[in-house]
Amino acid sequence: MKTHRLATTDADFDQRLTQLTAWSEERDAEVGARVSDIIRAIRERGDAALVEFTNRFDRRDVRDVSELVIGAEALQAALGRIPAAQREALEAAAERVRDYHQRQKQDSWQYRDADGTLLGQQVTPLDRAGLYVPGGKAAYPSSVLMNALPAKVAGVGEVVMVSPAPDGVVNDTVLAAAAVAGVDRVFTIGGAQAVAALAWGTDTVPGVDKIVGPGNIYVAEAKRQVFGKVGIDMIAGPSEILVVCDGKTDPDWIAMDLFSQAEHDEEAQAILVSPDAAFLDQVAESMARLVGTLEREQIIRTSMANRGALILARDLDDCLDIVNRLAPEHLELSMDDAEHWARKVRHAGAIFLGRHTPEALGDYCAGPNHVLPTSATARFSSPLGVYDFQKRSSLIGCSPEGASRLADIASPLARSESLTAHARSAEYRIFKASDVRRQTSDAKTS
């Protein structure tokens, strides 16, 4: 099957790799304008606009916004309807994801200076978080778990889920996952209108503090436009996988690992880097033989032809240089002593160690979050986690002596910035040591 072949020794390697991995985030002006109009309508007309857009875009015949509400009993009913094997898998995955994220939870802390001044950090959860889940033919119960469970572990007061139901079709597995994850409220709405409703609130849909979860171009653009009114997780690009292999793993395994991301969509990117030229040929043969066995064969072929690659490196250190250059969403180190090589990785969303750790396990049930930075943003951002649903407030409580000492520092700095009120506010707290002792004594005897 067709895919790109590169070698780090090629004279034009840098240029070709840059072109291959480039991902344009140019905003479509028409999409931006349409999303802006939808957001404005939701802000101005609330539930009425929400019903109107739901009927138009999801091909529904809703007469009242109450028809878009899914109650807790419906979630439990869906959990009871799905096959037992699916229910058990959801519950097992949820347990692992919850256990992993429990370890991320941050606690408040504080300490006191020698003069009694209190300093610290108070950690509190968000009041309400919104979770966007694609619906209809695209059913992603794993996304429900990965987005809702960190919020619940963080102690978020209310988790609100929105998921479109095109033609009125509601996916039972998605609803069952919401039940397992403890989602508090569910609405069958989607698109930019759902994002706007979560950001600004309507009479029926509560406004939230942060919106997380994947969606199409309209959802991504809506999240971009509402950012600032609410927080968002990220603007995600296409799925990516970079596999580094020393040539000792079964080539069929590696081929399927590459396909596991290529099958997401035509823009997904799957790259294998190895210092073993013969192994790259073996993987190419495996890919050609196996692609016809998959349901999404055409998507995979298009993805691999457009953005996939097999890269021959000089050695494993050369492979790791490519890793840190590309900062991939998913990185598989399919090699001996993978933990050693992982210490050389500076930029990656998730690192899968060894030959028996395919990325697919991380998507569903390993424990760490599968919401990961794409498009090289792993250089400066991290996987979704409990910390995304917690806020930190600084604590400062000065004793009289501490206030006086700090004011001696703050005053000249404030005056250097011509902020006289700042300086005088601090200077009012400056006392001689004898005054501090007298005030303390007077306080004790009063």
Side-chain angles (χ1 to χ4, degrees):
M1 62 182 292
K2 184 179 178 182
T3 195
H4 296 269
R5 295 292 294 259
L6 294 78
T8 58
T9 54
D10 293 341
D12 62 348
F13 173 74
D14 286 341
Q15 179 183 356
R16 292 181 65 195
L17 184 63
T18 297
Q19 292 173 343
L20 178 69
T21 57
W23 172 251
S24 173
E25 289 195 24
E26 291 183 8
R27 298 171 64 186
D28 185 306
E30 183 179 350
V31 170
R34 291 181 66 183
V35 167
S36 181
D37 289 343
I38 290 170
I39 292 174
R40 185 182 306 109
I42 296 295
R43 291 183 63 181
E44 293 175 354
R45 298 192 290 116
D47 285 343
L50 192 57
V51 169
E52 175 187 320
F53 290 130
T54 299
N55 286 338
R56 183 192 309 176
F57 298 129
D58 289 343
R59 304 174 300 279
R60 298 184 64 179
D61 186 24
V62 173
R63 298 185 179 183
D64 187 81
V65 70
S66 62
E67 298 175 50
L68 303 176
V69 179
I70 301 290
E73 65 285 350
L75 302 184
Q76 290 299 322
L79 185 59
R81 281 194 301 269
I82 64 173
Q86 286 187 11
R87 175 172 182 160
E88 291 168 6
L90 276 176
E91 292 172 341
E95 182 178 358
R96 293 188 61 85
V97 173
R98 186 182 294 107
D99 180 66
Y100 177 88
H101 286 83
Q102 287 281 4
R103 301 163 196 267
Q104 291 182 338
K105 193 171 182 180
Q106 298 178 347
D107 296 321
S108 302
W109 53 268
Q110 63 184 47
Y111 67 95
R112 290 188 183 274
D113 280 350
D115 59 25
T117 295
L118 181 147
L119 300 170
Q121 183 171 269
Q122 182 167 291
V123 180
T124 55
L126 304 183
D127 288 339
R128 186 181 288 128
L131 165 58
Y132 190 98
V133 178
K137 291 182 180 179
Y140 296 108
S142 59
S143 287
V144 179
L145 301 183
M146 294 292 180
N147 285 273
L149 288 171
K152 301 299 287 189
V153 169
V156 171
E158 187 175 39
V159 175
V160 181
M161 185 178 105
V162 295
S163 184
D167 300 307
V169 176
V170 183
N171 186 279
D172 270 352
T173 312
V174 167
L175 297 184
V180 170
V183 171
D184 298 288
R185 302 175 71 176
V186 177
F187 300 89
T188 57
I189 56 177
Q193 61 272 20
V195 175
L198 289 174
W200 297 97
T202 71
D203 288 341
T204 302
V205 180
V208 302
D209 302 307
K210 191 167 192 173
I211 300 172
V212 301
N216 63 18
I217 187 173
Y218 291 95
V219 171
E221 178 60 24
K223 286 170 69 177
R224 191 194 307 271
Q225 291 193 25
V226 303
F227 176 64
K229 169 63 176 176
V230 296
I232 62 172
D233 49 354
M234 63 185 75
I235 305 294
S239 296
E240 309 159 354
I241 187 170
L242 176 60
V243 180
V244 176
C245 187
D246 55 12
K248 301 178 185 178
T249 307
D250 187 322
D252 283 5
W253 294 10
I254 299 300
M256 202 59 67
D257 291 354
L258 296 172
F259 289 165
S260 72
Q261 293 308 294
E263 72 176 349
H264 274 294
D265 61 67
E266 292 85 351
E267 297 296 330
Q269 185 155 67
I271 296 175
L272 168 63
V273 186
S274 176
D276 188 328
F279 180 71
L280 293 178
D281 291 337
Q282 292 169 13
V283 172
E285 186 280 326
S286 292
M287 291 166 60
R289 176 168 40 83
L290 294 172
V291 68
T293 68
L294 300 172
E295 293 178 62
R296 298 196 173 197
E297 175 185 356
Q298 193 52 54
I299 292 175
I300 293 170
R301 287 187 181 277
T302 303
S303 171
M304 294 303 301
N306 290 344
R307 305 193 72 218
L310 303 178
I311 300 177
L312 177 63
R314 296 180 182 86
D315 52 33
L316 290 178
D317 283 309
D318 199 19
C319 293
L320 268 293
D321 287 341
I322 295 173
V323 168
N324 288 316
R325 172 176 171 175
L326 298 184
E329 178 188 16
H330 305 103
L331 170 64
E332 284 188 16
L333 297 179
S334 189
M335 56 210 298
D336 291 336
D337 202 6
E339 291 184 37
H340 162 76
W341 290 101
R343 289 192 285 273
K344 297 178 180 288
V345 176
R346 299 193 309 278
H347 312 302
I351 306 172
F352 299 82
L353 304 171
R355 309 184 199 285
H356 296 276
T357 316
E359 182 279 332
L361 299 183
D363 273 347
Y364 295 103
C365 58
N369 210 286
H370 77 193
V371 180
L372 301 167
T374 62
S375 306
T377 58
R379 293 176 295 110
F380 54 81
S381 56
S382 307
L384 187 74
V386 172
Y387 36 75
D388 289 295
F389 299 97
Q390 291 182 311
K391 303 177 283 85
R392 290 155 294 282
S393 300
S394 300
L395 296 175
I396 308 169
C398 291
S399 65
E401 181 182 350
S404 182
R405 179 171 60 86
L406 294 178
D408 278 331
I409 301 171
S411 174
L413 292 175
R415 291 188 180 279
S416 74
E417 297 177 351
S418 299
L419 296 176
T420 309
H422 280 68
R424 291 181 63 180
S425 174
E427 290 163 0
Y428 283 160
R429 273 74 175 182
I430 297 177
F431 299 99
K432 296 178 182 179
S434 58
D435 293 333
V436 173
R437 285 195 295 272
R438 184 173 63 254
Q439 287 184 351
T440 303
S441 177
D442 291 344
K444 289 180 178 178
T445 57
S446 62

